[in-house]
């Protein structure tokens, strides 16, 4: 019954990669805490780089500086 | 002053249905806990089916299998 | 498969009241969007009044002023 | 290392304004709690007005009534 | 820079198990999306079973029924 | 009507400091986006250091290494 929310910047993650994250997190919770995959919910939020800040700066600007 | 976040897959919920959810949750909180509707915030997030996983699988795939 | 998060201040909600909220929200999602109760997850977070602010003020202070 | 999530209605916040929010919150956490800006994450979610409710009503309707 | 929030019921997860979840999710994000572990934030929320509902019922009651 | 969630590690933030964060974020949203303080909700979550990971490690361990 775990609920996992993964927030990443919207920078081209493919459907297959998102599928890998979902499968990987579900397997991890089953292995470590014996949680039932059938009721493990995983939600991925992809956030525009204007809307994500780190070190006080929008990722959009950091990417322009090669960060 | 409650804050309610409802996450559902993005599968065609209409504006009217979302209005019903907002009204229904606000009424429920007022009835059960006497919370003031005027400061009850409800946010609905609609998530792409590629980005929602259950049982280790993306909903996109489950829908193709009629689940 | 919806996920609902209800955040309220920690001011004495009983186990029964929280049960009512869980049942009520699950019923609402089934009625309005035909969502399957078996995989509807509801999580209630109870937050200390020092940690909840509205109008720029902690609820602790507002309660002292009878608000 | 703080994580801050700011949810606002999707009503035209500019990239510059979002940058100001990110910088402002990061500075606030550094000033008040001496948190390291380099690992302070700020995520802004902009929510459609159909999907945001207050006082049991969608913001879309409240805006039509000049609220 | 990903942010991952894992919500589980408060049913005895040890510090070591939580460490495994944190390491496992961070490794998964690095492997699948080449995300930098140094700024990958993972937060685990443990929720009382009275405060977690599935199928319209509190987990406290489901556990009493051996579910 | 904004909703702001600030997650920090549980490492001794005082009631006054949390009050400063609430006032500061509310003022920032009013200044930058002209948001109404009266319906600006701020929730602070304080997370145990065992439950917070960065760089794949629990903060508890990082603190022992002086990080």
């Amino acid at each position: 019954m775990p609920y996992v929310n993964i927030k990443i910047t919207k920078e081209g993650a493919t459907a297959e990669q998102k599928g890998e994250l979902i499968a990987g997190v579900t397997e991890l919770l089953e292995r470590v805490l014996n949680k039932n995959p059938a009721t493990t919910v995983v939600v991925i939020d992809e956030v525009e780089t204007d809307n994500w800040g780190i070190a006080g700066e929008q990722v959009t600007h950091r990417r322009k500086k090669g960060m």
Side-chain angles (χ1 to χ4, degrees), chain A:
Chain A
M1 230 171 351
Y3 168 74
V4 182
N5 178 221
I6 301 173
K7 285 191 195 294
I8 52 175
T9 43
K10 192 164 196 162
E11 297 186 282
T14 65
E16 290 67 29
Q17 289 173 317
K18 291 184 278 191
E20 265 189 82
L21 292 180
I22 288 167
V25 160
T26 304
E27 184 277 328
L28 177 69
L29 282 156
E30 186 180 18
R31 176 162 45 84
V32 175
L33 289 177
N34 195 30
K35 293 294 186 185
N36 178 4
T39 50
T40 295
V41 175
V42 182
V43 169
I44 299 170
D45 293 322
E46 295 175 272
V47 178
E48 302 292 343
T49 55
D50 271 356
N51 289 30
W52 193 296
I54 187 152
E57 224 186 337
Q58 286 161 300
V59 167
T60 308
H61 297 300
R62 293 170 66 85
R63 293 291 182 256
K64 284 177 191 160
K65 296 189 286 187
M67 299 169 74

